[in-house]
Amino acid sequence: MTLTPQHPTKKYQVVGIGNAIVDVISRSDDSFLELMGIEKGIMQLVERERAETLYGAMENRVQAAGGSVANTLAGLGNLGLNTGFIGRVRDDALGRFYAESMEKGGTDFVNAPVAGGELPSSRSMIFVSPDGERSMNTYLGISAELGPEDVSEDVAAQAEIVFLEGYLFDKPKGKEAFLRAARTCRKAGGLAGIAISDPFCVERHREDFLRLIANEMDYVIGNEAEIRSLYQDDSLEKDLARVAELCPLVVCTRSGDGVSIMREGVRTDVPVTKVVPVDATGAGDQFAAGFLYGLATGADMETAGRMGTVAASEVISHMGPRPEADLKALFRRNGLI
């Protein structure tokens, strides 16, 4: 099969579907994390009361539209692609802020904020440690209620590439929304793929994940822990080979060890330059933005992988999960375009 989008005249080059979450970011040291009972370096879900407690404990908060796939779309918008986002927010202050932020960033927020929704808009309290690690405490709110009724077939059919967020897999309605978006896109000649998002998410839904990757996906992106969580054994190499048997394109980011890409039986390894992050938030999301830009524009796998590493390096050089520099200029500087 061809793994390059075949319909350059479509309205959207990439449409993402995922959680619409406002990121609230502040700096903190390890003793603060201990005091507040926050597990360092992971994403954990919290209830509304806990969310309000943590929000109140944050100093010098910075607020931004976030969510994994939405961050990737912001990177693609920075690169000049036409993008759309399928997500769910309430018609409250945070929800309106979110929708407006996405539009300002050049991404169509295709679903209007929900008036009178019972749950508030989603938010993630992110505590950034001096070593750049981020500890995320996410209250999902209305975002987790996203279902197939929120997926416009017109939008999905007008996408060259659909990008799904694994976090949404936690609810049956989210799975149905995935399938509707992926199948509509593929039926219209586009490509559908997923970011695995989180090893804990895989733990909860391993069989469903494997079935989705095998039957519905053209590409899958994950880090080493996420790829390994699909099979629970000791060998990343074995796991990569097994996922590559299910899906034509598998991309595995390996932190300082670079990126391994398996495309229809051909392996490409892309090295990275190790840097100490200012804030690791968004590294995987912006890697995906760079890589999907390469995929959308017909780049070879090494170039697409390098685009991903350049975008990830940019975002970890400052606070926040979205690029501040002109990514296209960085790609030019690195001889990628």
Side-chain angles (χ1 to χ4, degrees):
M1 68 174 293
T2 303
L3 275 174
T4 302
Q6 299 300 298
H7 298 276
T9 56
K10 288 194 173 188
K11 181 176 182 182
Y12 299 111
Q13 284 151 303
V14 181
V15 167
I17 175 170
N19 282 311
I21 299 172
V22 176
D23 284 339
V24 188
I25 305 168
S26 78
R27 291 189 177 279
S28 63
D29 56 24
D30 289 358
S31 61
F32 175 85
L33 298 181
E34 215 171 288
L35 178 70
M36 299 301 292
I38 296 166
E39 193 171 339
K40 184 176 176 179
I42 69 161
M43 192 286 286
Q44 49 195 346
L45 299 178
V46 297
E47 297 301 324
R48 191 169 178 174
E49 189 179 337
R50 170 77 166 156
E52 287 167 358
T53 300
L54 292 175
Y55 184 84
M58 300 180 95
E59 293 182 0
N60 302 317
R61 295 182 290 249
V62 177
Q63 187 171 289
S68 178
V69 161
N71 290 338
T72 296
L73 292 173
L76 289 165
N78 177 296
L79 285 159
L81 296 196
N82 295 326
T83 56
F85 180 63
I86 299 168
R88 191 173 173 89
V89 297
R90 186 178 173 182
D91 189 9
D92 55 17
L94 275 182
R96 289 188 294 273
F97 164 80
Y98 191 96
E100 286 162 15
S101 293
M102 292 297 291
E103 293 281 349
K104 272 184 199 159
T107 293
D108 284 355
F109 190 79
V110 299
N111 298 332
V114 179
E118 286 177 21
L119 296 170
S121 294
S122 312
R123 73 288 313 261
S124 182
M125 278 63 64
I126 302 173
F127 298 90
V128 182
S129 305
D131 61 2
E133 275 288 352
R134 79 268 194 229
S135 308
M136 303 164 72
N137 301 266
T138 303
Y139 169 62
L140 287 177
I142 197 172
S143 177
E145 297 302 308
L146 185 117
E149 68 280 2
D150 295 304
V151 178
S152 158
E153 293 214 345
D154 288 344
V155 172
Q158 278 298 315
E160 293 174 30
I161 297 173
V162 159
F163 187 43
L164 312 171
E165 179 179 310
Y167 285 130
L168 263 185
F169 227 60
D170 268 324
K171 292 210 173 180
K173 283 171 70 177
K175 292 178 189 177
E176 289 170 33
F178 266 22
L179 290 175
R180 182 176 166 104
R183 288 172 180 172
T184 304
C185 172
R186 295 179 92 200
K187 189 177 174 186
L191 304 177
I194 189 168
I196 299 176
S197 296
D198 190 297
F200 299 109
C201 203
V202 175
E203 296 291 336
R204 293 189 288 271
H205 310 281
R206 184 170 287 107
E207 291 309 313
D208 282 350
F209 257 106
L210 288 170
R211 200 175 301 118
L212 181 84
I213 290 167
N215 298 323
E216 312 283 352
M217 299 290 100
D218 298 300
Y219 66 92
V220 58
I221 300 174
N223 64 27
E224 185 172 350
E226 291 157 2
I227 296 289
R228 287 180 63 174
S229 68
L230 287 167
Y231 291 103
Q232 294 177 288
D233 63 34
D234 294 333
S235 169
L236 175 65
E237 296 303 319
K238 254 193 269 179
D239 293 340
L240 260 176
R242 289 171 79 180
V243 184
E245 286 173 12
L246 300 181
C247 187
L249 175 55
V250 182
V251 185
C252 178
T253 58
R254 302 164 64 189
S255 194
D257 294 326
V259 181
S260 296
I261 302 167
M262 299 283 285
R263 181 176 188 170
E264 296 177 320
V266 178
R267 177 165 175 157
T268 304
D269 288 303
V270 180
V272 294
T273 305
K274 292 185 185 181
V275 292
V276 177
V278 171
D279 171 16
T281 311
D285 303 337
Q286 295 314 320
F287 171 84
F291 181 81
L292 289 177
Y293 177 82
L295 188 64
T297 55
D300 61 68
M301 288 297 95
E302 184 179 357
T303 301
R306 287 182 61 207
M307 286 172 168
T309 65
V310 169
S313 295
E314 189 283 334
V315 82
I316 65 174
S317 70
H318 56 76
M319 287 284 282
R322 299 189 172 189
E324 291 180 354
D326 179 337
L327 293 180
K328 228 174 198 178
L330 287 178
F331 288 178
R332 280 196 198 95
R333 205 174 306 154
N334 283 272
L336 300 174
I337 53 176

